[in-house]
Amino acid sequence: MTSQPWYTSPLGWLAGLGSNLPGYDTAIRLPIEPLFGALRATLIGRRIETTLGGSPLAVVVSDLEASFDPVSTAFGQIDDVLITSDDVEFDGLRARRVEVRPRNVHTRPGFSPTLVAAPLDVLIEADWNQVQALLRRHLGRVDVEPLGGQRARLRPTGHRSRHGWLDVDLQVVNGRVELHPAHAGWGESGLRRRLRAVPAIPIPTALGDAVRIVDLAVDRDAVTVALRVDQWSIGYGRLLSF
């Protein structure tokens, strides 16, 4: 009968941590480093399905990197972690690339050890058509055309030459995206009117109170969004079950 890996057992964690304390004659063992190696071998290339904010999330991890300092690692900490994926689907929308940087990654000891990161920075790059699909969920039958910079043009779907349009600035305010109307015009003519004191159009998010948008970059082909999660944690038992 094969023995259980030490990093899946609470007693194994205690033994692994104890070997780093003064008075032990055994060779130094760094528990979190071999655990990271096991996670890397298990997660890379696998499709992981879970939920975020109550919506389905599917991720295929393409790379998992970390650096280890001997002192901090002995106390169950990792200095720098980067998780990347080129195949992410969230609530029916796809991202071309996602980078996750957990900060202050450490082990919370206990009978069931937990991996904790605070905060968690997430960078999402998506094609513009995916962003337009997201906006349509909240704006209805509206075409959204990127104009470069932080500006986009809204038009009623299917009637570009006969209906008016609205230019908006995309801004991040208090952790969410808002569309700030700037100019309005009609058809394909160059006539337009500057708008003043028009209320912003909020774009709802369903990621939870602990997740906020901190930055937004827009070009003609893609949108890059930076998110910050105040704190993230997961039990090692669940992490190793993926």
Coordinates of all heavy atoms in Angstrom, one line a residue, residues 128 132 142-148 151-156 160 164-170 183-185 187-192:
W128 N -12.3 42.8 -28.4 CA -13.3 43.8 -28.3 C -14.7 43.2 -28.5 O -15.7 43.6 -27.8 CB -13.1 44.9 -29.3 CG -14.2 46.0 -29.2 CD1 -15.3 46.1 -30.0 CD2 -14.3 47.0 -28.2 NE1 -16.0 47.2 -29.5 CE2 -15.5 47.7 -28.4 CE3 -13.5 47.3 -27.1 CZ2 -15.9 48.8 -27.6 CZ3 -13.9 48.4 -26.3 CH2 -15.0 49.1 -26.5
Q132 N -18.0 43.9 -26.2 CA -19.3 44.3 -26.7 C -20.4 43.4 -26.3 O -21.5 43.9 -26.0 CB -19.2 44.4 -28.3 CG -20.5 44.9 -28.9 CD -20.4 45.3 -30.3 OE1 -20.1 46.4 -30.6 NE2 -20.5 44.4 -31.2
V142 N -27.5 47.6 -28.7 CA -26.6 48.7 -29.0 C -25.3 48.2 -29.5 O -24.7 47.2 -28.9 CB -26.4 49.6 -27.7 CG1 -25.3 50.6 -28.0 CG2 -27.7 50.2 -27.2
D143 N -24.8 48.7 -30.6 CA -23.5 48.4 -31.1 C -22.5 49.4 -30.4 O -22.7 50.6 -30.3 CB -23.4 48.6 -32.6 CG -24.1 47.5 -33.3 OD1 -24.2 46.4 -32.8 OD2 -24.5 47.8 -34.5
V144 N -21.3 48.8 -30.0 CA -20.3 49.6 -29.3 C -19.0 49.5 -30.2 O -18.5 48.5 -30.5 CB -20.0 49.0 -27.9 CG1 -19.0 49.9 -27.2 CG2 -21.3 48.9 -27.1
E145 N -18.6 50.7 -30.6 CA -17.4 50.8 -31.5 C -16.3 51.5 -30.8 O -16.4 52.6 -30.3 CB -17.8 51.6 -32.8 CG -16.7 51.9 -33.7 CD -17.0 52.9 -34.8 OE1 -18.2 53.2 -34.9 OE2 -16.1 53.3 -35.5
P146 N -15.1 50.8 -30.7 CA -14.0 51.5 -30.0 C -13.4 52.6 -30.9 O -13.3 52.5 -32.1 CB -13.0 50.4 -29.8 CG -13.3 49.4 -30.9 CD -14.8 49.5 -31.1
L147 N -13.1 53.8 -30.3 CA -12.6 54.9 -31.0 C -11.1 55.2 -30.7 O -10.5 56.1 -31.2 CB -13.4 56.2 -30.7 CG -14.9 56.1 -31.1 CD1 -15.6 57.4 -30.6 CD2 -15.1 55.9 -32.5
G148 N -10.5 54.3 -29.8 CA -9.2 54.5 -29.4 C -9.1 55.3 -28.1 O -10.1 56.0 -27.7
R151 N -12.3 55.9 -25.3 CA -13.6 56.4 -25.8 C -14.2 55.3 -26.7 O -13.5 54.6 -27.4 CB -13.4 57.7 -26.6 CG -14.7 58.3 -27.1 CD -14.6 59.8 -27.4 NE -14.4 60.5 -26.1 CZ -14.4 61.9 -26.1 NH1 -14.5 62.6 -27.2 NH2 -14.3 62.5 -24.9
A152 N -15.5 55.3 -26.7 CA -16.2 54.4 -27.6 C -17.5 55.1 -28.1 O -17.9 56.1 -27.5 CB -16.6 53.1 -26.8
R153 N -18.1 54.5 -29.2 CA -19.3 55.1 -29.8 C -20.4 54.1 -29.7 O -20.3 52.9 -30.0 CB -19.0 55.5 -31.2 CG -20.3 56.1 -31.9 CD -19.9 56.8 -33.2 NE -19.1 58.0 -32.9 CZ -18.6 58.8 -33.8 NH1 -18.7 58.5 -35.1 NH2 -17.9 59.9 -33.4
L154 N -21.6 54.5 -29.2 CA -22.7 53.7 -29.1 C -23.7 54.1 -30.1 O -24.0 55.2 -30.4 CB -23.4 53.9 -27.7 CG -22.5 53.8 -26.4 CD1 -23.4 54.0 -25.2 CD2 -21.7 52.5 -26.4
R155 N -24.3 53.0 -30.8 CA -25.3 53.2 -31.9 C -26.4 52.1 -31.7 O -26.1 51.0 -31.3 CB -24.7 53.0 -33.3 CG -23.6 54.0 -33.7 CD -23.2 53.6 -35.1 NE -22.0 54.4 -35.5 CZ -22.1 55.5 -36.3 NH1 -23.3 55.9 -36.6 NH2 -21.1 56.1 -36.7
P156 N -27.6 52.5 -32.1 CA -28.7 51.4 -32.1 C -28.3 50.4 -33.1 O -27.8 50.6 -34.2 CB -29.9 52.2 -32.5 CG -29.7 53.6 -32.2 CD -28.2 53.8 -32.4
R160 N -27.2 52.1 -38.6 CA -26.1 53.0 -38.4 C -26.3 54.4 -39.1 O -25.9 55.4 -38.6 CB -24.8 52.4 -38.9 CG -24.3 51.2 -38.1 CD -23.0 50.7 -38.6 NE -22.4 49.6 -37.8 CZ -21.7 49.8 -36.7 NH1 -21.3 51.1 -36.4 NH2 -21.2 48.8 -36.0
G164 N -29.0 58.2 -34.4 CA -28.0 59.0 -33.7 C -27.0 58.1 -33.1 O -27.1 56.9 -33.0
W165 N -25.9 58.7 -32.6 CA -24.9 58.0 -31.9 C -24.4 58.8 -30.7 O -24.7 60.0 -30.6 CB -23.7 57.7 -32.8 CG -23.2 58.8 -33.6 CD1 -23.5 59.0 -35.0 CD2 -22.3 59.9 -33.2 NE1 -22.9 60.2 -35.4 CE2 -22.1 60.7 -34.4 CE3 -21.7 60.2 -32.1 CZ2 -21.4 61.9 -34.4 CZ3 -20.9 61.4 -32.0 CH2 -20.8 62.2 -33.2
L166 N -23.8 58.1 -29.8 CA -23.3 58.7 -28.5 C -21.9 58.3 -28.3 O -21.6 57.1 -28.2 CB -24.2 58.3 -27.4 CG -23.9 58.8 -26.0 CD1 -24.1 60.3 -25.9 CD2 -24.7 58.1 -24.9
D167 N -21.0 59.3 -28.1 CA -19.6 59.0 -27.8 C -19.5 59.0 -26.2 O -20.0 60.0 -25.6 CB -18.7 60.0 -28.4 CG -18.5 59.8 -29.9 OD1 -19.0 58.8 -30.4 OD2 -17.8 60.6 -30.5
V168 N -18.8 58.0 -25.7 CA -18.7 57.9 -24.2 C -17.2 57.7 -23.9 O -16.5 57.1 -24.6 CB -19.6 56.8 -23.6 CG1 -21.1 57.1 -23.9 CG2 -19.2 55.4 -24.2
D169 N -16.9 58.2 -22.7 CA -15.5 57.9 -22.1 C -15.7 56.7 -21.1 O -16.6 56.8 -20.3 CB -15.0 59.1 -21.4 CG -14.6 60.2 -22.4 OD1 -14.1 59.9 -23.5 OD2 -14.9 61.4 -22.1
L170 N -14.8 55.7 -21.3 CA -14.9 54.6 -20.3 C -14.0 54.9 -19.2 O -12.8 55.2 -19.3 CB -14.4 53.3 -21.0 CG -15.4 52.6 -22.0 CD1 -15.5 53.4 -23.3 CD2 -14.9 51.2 -22.2
H183 N -20.2 63.3 -26.4 CA -20.8 63.9 -27.5 C -21.9 63.1 -28.1 O -21.9 61.9 -27.9 CB -19.7 64.1 -28.6 CG -18.6 65.0 -28.2 ND1 -17.4 64.5 -27.7 CD2 -18.4 66.4 -28.3 CE1 -16.6 65.6 -27.4 NE2 -17.2 66.7 -27.8
A184 N -22.8 63.8 -28.7 CA -23.9 63.1 -29.4 C -24.0 63.6 -30.9 O -23.6 64.8 -31.1 CB -25.2 63.3 -28.7
G185 N -24.4 62.8 -31.8 CA -24.5 63.2 -33.2 C -25.6 62.4 -33.9 O -26.3 61.6 -33.3
G187 N -26.5 60.1 -37.6 CA -26.1 59.4 -38.8 C -24.6 59.4 -39.0 O -23.9 59.2 -38.0
E188 N -24.2 59.5 -40.2 CA -22.8 59.5 -40.5 C -22.2 60.9 -40.7 O -21.1 61.0 -41.2 CB -22.5 58.7 -41.8 CG -23.0 57.2 -41.7 CD -22.2 56.5 -40.6 OE1 -21.0 56.8 -40.3 OE2 -22.8 55.6 -40.0
S189 N -23.0 61.9 -40.5 CA -22.5 63.3 -40.6 C -21.4 63.6 -39.5 O -21.3 62.9 -38.5 CB -23.6 64.3 -40.6 OG -24.1 64.3 -39.3
G190 N -20.7 64.7 -39.8 CA -19.7 65.1 -38.8 C -20.3 66.0 -37.7 O -19.6 66.4 -36.9
L191 N -21.6 66.3 -37.8 CA -22.2 67.1 -36.8 C -22.3 66.4 -35.5 O -22.8 65.3 -35.4 CB -23.6 67.6 -37.3 CG -23.6 68.4 -38.6 CD1 -25.1 68.7 -39.0 CD2 -22.9 69.7 -38.4
R192 N -21.9 67.1 -34.5 CA -22.0 66.5 -33.1 C -22.2 67.6 -32.1 O -21.8 68.8 -32.4 CB -20.8 65.7 -32.8 CG -19.5 66.4 -32.7 CD -18.4 65.4 -32.3 NE -17.2 66.1 -32.1 CZ -16.1 65.5 -31.6 NH1 -16.1 64.2 -31.3 NH2 -15.0 66.2 -31.3

